[in-house]
């Protein structure tokens, strides 16, 4: 074996794009090109915790949070254009939605989110009541303000293409600025899950992307770095966050506390409310009733029922808030936003875990989300629901393991078990709403996460697990690729098309 090939096969630590290019030149000379291909060299994870966990309105991170951000980014470009070229003449903005964004955009409020973005609203601070009322009156004209010019915008300026998607991603939206009915410029945005937006022609990671202090691209390389550096997982993640964001440790902890507070509030608000959720499916809120049952179970000493009912109630609470368009945190997406808050609430309220430990636990959960996002996807439109609720359950299993004293191997095993038992799960939301099966699915995700932690913690003295976390992430990616598009947030198969709508009290 020559030196280049030996180096490549032993390559555990990920390298930067710059290093990748330099090493590739080196490899090209000395290595066997048939075996060593540039795509085998992974690029490190540069995602910040605060890109993964974003505060924003429900019901969907890819269909609501992402499009609002895209609308806002496009607004900035239009403002720059007007600064250079003035505002003389008749301007309009046209929006085109493709793939899953078109198929379930109405149910997810994509059209409202884009208009809010054009108004300059951002997900963290948008008024959810104002947002949910947009386009409620047919034919109403809105006048988003671009400096000293207001551009008229109606529902007819948004085109849903249900049959044709010429672009590379299933969640595509195009925004076009028109001057006297002729296109001036356009941007194509891909909403890739969890509220992340990519722009056609822009590479997400560049040499200027802030670099983490300790590079890793999957669990295997993370374990290698931890061992090499003699760090704990929470130390490594904090150092990386400092390097990527430029914030101090105190500032990062303060922002994590804010994320935790929004998650906590979403549970508490959801536990108070009753009634039917919007959207016409006649789905009743059940979190409050479930919590009352949990209290009764506790009173009667039914411990197993009390545990399950509490996790169910907390997950239902946040998921119902999400379905009602209220503020939640992408964890890693809005559709799966109920799982982690439920597990955090259980640890906080019922196990009395201190906030400082929960903050570190959420960092660890975020690491699982980073690895899944980098190596597979967290988008239901790309890989089905295993990428959303499966990822959330995997992150929550890691949280449970960490907060209960598990080491990185146990954390990794808990995350692996939780993800493994979501493989193949389809995304088929009825009427394109994030209600059936999504709300109950979050409750089940929380319970599976708890059980995955127990299964991992119970593995003592029997060696390494047969399947590693990285392997199950790869299997998820392959399984998701094989799924029919009917089961990828298009509401054209499965539960979404098998039964009548609107006649089911609950699901
Ligand atoms: S089925 Fe799963 S992936 Fe699809 S919208 Fe619901 S929660 Fe998201």
């Amino acid at each position: 074996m020559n030196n280049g090939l030996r180096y490549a096969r032993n390559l555990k630590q990920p390298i930067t794009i710059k290093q990748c290019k330099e090493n590739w030149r080196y490899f090209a000379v000395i290595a066997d090109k048939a075996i060593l291909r540039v795509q085998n060299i992974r690029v490190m994870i540069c995602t910040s915790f605060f890109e993964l966990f974003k505060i924003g309105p429900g019901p969907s991170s890819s269909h609501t949070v992402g499009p609002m951000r895209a609308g806002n980014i496009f607004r900035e470009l239009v403002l720059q254009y007007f600064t250079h070229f003035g505002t003389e003449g008749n301007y309009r903005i046209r929006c085109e939605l493709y793939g899953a964004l078109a198929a379930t955009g109405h149910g997810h409020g994509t059209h409202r989110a884009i208009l809010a973005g054009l108004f300059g609203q951002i997900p963290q601070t948008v008024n959810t009541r104002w947002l949910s009322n947009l386009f409620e009156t047919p034919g109403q004209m809105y006048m988003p303000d671009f400096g000293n010019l207001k551009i008229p915008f109606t529902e007819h300026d948004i085109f849903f293409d249900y049959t044709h998607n010429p672009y590379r991603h299933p969640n595509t939206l195009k925004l076009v600025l028109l001057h006297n009915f002729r296109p001036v410029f356009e941007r194509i945005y891909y909403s890739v899950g969890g509220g992340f937006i990519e722009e056609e022609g822009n590479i997400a990671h560049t040499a200027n992307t802030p670099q983490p202090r300790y590079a890793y691209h999957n669990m295997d390389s993370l374990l290698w770095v931890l061992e090499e550096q003699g760090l704990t997982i929470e130390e490594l993640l904090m150092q990386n966050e400092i390097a990527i964001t430029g914030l101090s440790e105190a500032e990062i902890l303060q922002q994590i506390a804010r994320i935790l507070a929004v998650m906590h509030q979403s549970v508490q608000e959801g536990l108070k409310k009753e009634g039917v959720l919007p959207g016409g499916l006649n789905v009743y809120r059940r979190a409050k009733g479930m919590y009352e049952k949990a209290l009764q179970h506790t009173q009667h000493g039914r411990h197993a029922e009390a545990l399950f009912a509490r996790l169910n109630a907390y997950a239902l609470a946040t998921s119902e808030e999400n379905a009602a368009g209220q503020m939640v945190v992408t964890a890693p997406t809005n559709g799966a936003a109920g799982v982690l808050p439920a597990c955090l609430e259980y640890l906080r309220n019922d196990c009395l875990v201190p906030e400082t430990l929960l903050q570190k636990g959420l960092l660890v959960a975020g690491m699982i989300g980073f690895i899944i996002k980098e190596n597979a996807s967290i988008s239901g439109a790309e890989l089905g629901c295993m990428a959303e609720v499966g990822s959330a359950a995997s992150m929550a299993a890691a949280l449970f393991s960490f907060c209960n004293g598990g080491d990185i191997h146990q954390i990794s095993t808990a995350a692996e078990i939780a993800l493994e038992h979501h493989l193949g799960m389809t995304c088929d939301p009825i009427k394109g709403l994030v209600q059936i099966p999504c709300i109950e699915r979050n409750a089940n995700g929380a319970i599976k996460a708890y059980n995955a932690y127990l299964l991992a913690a119970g593995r003592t003295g029997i060696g390494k697990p047969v399947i590693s976390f990285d392997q199950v992430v790869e299997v998820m990616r392959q399984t998701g690729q094989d799924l029919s598009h009917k089961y990828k947030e298009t509401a054209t198969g499965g539960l979404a098309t098998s039964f009548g709508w609107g006649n089911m009290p609950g699901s």
Side-chain angles (χ1 to χ4, degrees), residues 108 335-336 380 384-385 388-389 426-429 434 437-438 441-442 489:
H108 290 74
C385 197
E388 293 206 13
V389 172
T426 55
C427 170
D428 50 359
V434 190
C438 320
R441 198 162 273 185
N442 276 261
E489 214 167 349

Side-chain angles (χ1 to χ4, degrees), residues 59-60 108 333-337 378-381 384-390 425-430 432-439 441-442 487-489:
S60 168
H108 290 74
T333 64
N334 277 30
I378 54 169
S379 162
C385 197
M386 61 184 144
E388 293 206 13
V389 172
M425 200 159 75
T426 55
C427 170
D428 50 359
I430 297 182
L433 298 166
V434 190
Q435 297 182 10
I436 304 173
C438 320
I439 295 172
R441 198 162 273 185
N442 276 261
Y487 306 118
K488 296 184 187 178
E489 214 167 349

Side-chain angles (χ1 to χ4, degrees), residues 99-100 103-104 170 380-385 424-432 437 441 480-498:
T104 54
E382 281 188 64
L383 301 182
C385 197
M425 200 159 75
T426 55
C427 170
D428 50 359
I430 297 182
K431 222 176 163 188
R441 198 162 273 185
Q481 280 185 343
D482 289 343
L483 271 185
S484 160
H485 84 283
K486 290 192 294 186
Y487 306 118
K488 296 184 187 178
E489 214 167 349
T490 55
T492 55
L495 289 167
T497 54
S498 296

Side-chain angles (χ1 to χ4, degrees), residues 12-72:
K12 284 187 177 169
Q13 196 177 15
I15 57 179
T16 64
I17 287 178
K18 186 164 170 280
Q19 286 169 322
C20 177
K21 284 177 185 160
E22 286 166 1
N23 282 315
W24 172 241
R25 256 183 252 125
Y26 168 67
F27 291 150
V29 178
I30 62 171
D32 180 347
K33 290 182 198 167
I35 296 173
L36 180 61
R37 296 189 309 250
V38 74
Q39 60 261 41
N40 287 338
I41 300 169
R42 300 295 183 84
V43 176
M44 64 187 161
I45 291 166
C46 299
T47 312
S48 159
F49 179 88
F50 303 110
E51 289 175 88
L52 191 70
F53 294 108
K54 290 183 286 292
I55 299 165
S60 168
S61 45
S62 58
H63 285 57
T64 318
V65 176
M68 192 183 299
R69 295 181 71 210
N72 204 290

